[in-house]
């Protein structure tokens, strides 16, 4: 049994991931900001724990992560307020990476998005700009850490059922629809695949079973 920490535990992907991981016999601690969400998290089989990562120090996050084998970052400010977006999606994410290192939690999976990076191409006038900048900075920082990191880049998220079928590194000009359920399936899969450490995996709903699609060169 692996002890997995999920930061941003009440998000739709995180709830689906918790259910998958606990169903596989893993122990999941799901960190949430709002204590009112504890019941939803507990229903997935995970143990809810209140942690306001936006305002928590690195030491506080490290204390919360201690004893876990892996951490999944699935938190987000949800857009709307650029300052809060930078505070959560960039600054808190980076503190969580430092905290994982301090706590001895080597495995770190970041849920990012398809097209994230310095060359994201989102204009400053677009309301998505702060998120794109924040994720680019967080992902770049993660790549520079000594953690066994994997960055996931799902396409445009939908609530369609999970098929367990994806295409990796799809054309940026094609269909980007990616179900949250498939995103959770991919996150659960990479946690069981140490060989995916050091990889950025962009994907969308597609045609290959997840395990096959995650093979290098697939």
């Amino acid at each position: 049994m692996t002890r997995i920490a999920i930061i941003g535990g009440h998000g739709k992907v995180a709830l689906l991931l918790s259910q998958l991981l606990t169903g596989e016999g893993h122990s999941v601690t799901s960190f949430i900001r709002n204590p009112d969400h504890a019941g939803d998290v507990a229903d997935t089989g995970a143990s809810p724990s209140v942690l306001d990562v936006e305002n928590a120090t690195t030491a506080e996050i490290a204390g919360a992560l201690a004893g876990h084998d892996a951490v999944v970052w699935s938190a987000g400010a949800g857009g709307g307020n650029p300052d809060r977006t930078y505070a959560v999606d960039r600054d808190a994410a980076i503190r969580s990476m430092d905290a994982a290192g301090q706590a001895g939690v080597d495995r770190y999976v970041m849920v990012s998005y398809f097209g994230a990076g310095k060359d994201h191409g989102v204009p400053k006038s677009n309301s998505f700009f702060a998120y794109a900048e924040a994720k680019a900075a967080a992902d770049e920082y993660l790549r520079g850490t000594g953690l066994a990191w994997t960055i996931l880049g799902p396409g445009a998220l939908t609530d369609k059922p999970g098929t367990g079928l994806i295409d990796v590194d799809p054309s940026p000009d094609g269909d980007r629809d990616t179900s949250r359920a498939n995103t959770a399936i991919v996150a659960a899969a990479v946690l069981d695949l140490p060989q995916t450490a050091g990889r950025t995996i962009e994907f969308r709903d597609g045609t290959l079973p997840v395990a096959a699609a995650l093979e290098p060169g697939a």
Side-chain angles (χ1 to χ4, degrees):
M1 182 176 69
T2 303
R3 292 195 65 197
I4 299 166
I6 300 177
I7 299 175
H10 194 253
K12 291 181 178 180
V13 170
L15 290 170
L16 292 166
L17 176 59
S18 294
Q19 195 165 22
L20 285 174
L21 293 173
T22 57
E24 292 171 357
H26 299 295
S27 172
V28 178
T29 306
S30 208
F31 293 103
I32 52 176
R33 181 177 60 87
N34 186 344
D36 292 343
H37 293 158
D40 292 340
V41 169
D43 286 345
T44 69
S47 299
S49 181
V50 176
L51 178 69
D52 180 4
V53 291
E54 181 179 356
N55 297 300
T57 65
T58 301
E60 288 168 341
I61 300 172
L65 295 179
H68 291 85
D69 302 302
V71 58
V72 178
W73 177 275
S74 191
N81 183 327
D83 289 342
R84 185 156 186 268
T85 296
Y86 286 118
V88 175
D89 293 280
R90 181 190 63 194
D91 301 341
I94 287 172
R95 286 199 302 277
S96 78
M97 299 166 200
D98 293 340
Q102 289 181 18
V105 184
D106 185 52
R107 189 75 170 104
Y108 190 108
V109 175
M110 165 64 74
V111 180
S112 188
Y113 73 95
F114 183 21
K118 285 184 174 181
D119 56 351
H120 55 70
V122 179
K124 286 187 177 181
S125 58
N126 191 304
S127 60
F128 192 71
F129 178 79
Y131 180 76
E133 287 284 288
K135 294 301 278 186
D139 291 357
E140 181 179 24
Y141 188 91
L142 181 56
R143 293 185 183 104
T145 68
L147 299 171
W149 56 266
T150 303
I151 297 171
L152 302 181
L157 294 175
T158 74
D159 288 323
K160 292 178 182 176
T163 61
L165 302 172
I166 60 169
D167 291 334
V168 170
D169 296 327
S171 166
D173 301 321
D175 181 12
R176 293 193 179 198
D177 280 2
T178 314
S179 71
R180 290 178 173 86
N182 275 347
T183 303
I185 291 168
V186 172
V190 300
L191 285 167
D192 279 334
L193 295 170
Q195 63 268 37
T196 59
R199 288 180 61 191
T200 299
I201 301 168
E202 295 191 316
F203 61 95
R204 67 177 183 200
D205 293 343
T207 57
L208 279 178
V210 167
L214 293 178
E215 288 289 334

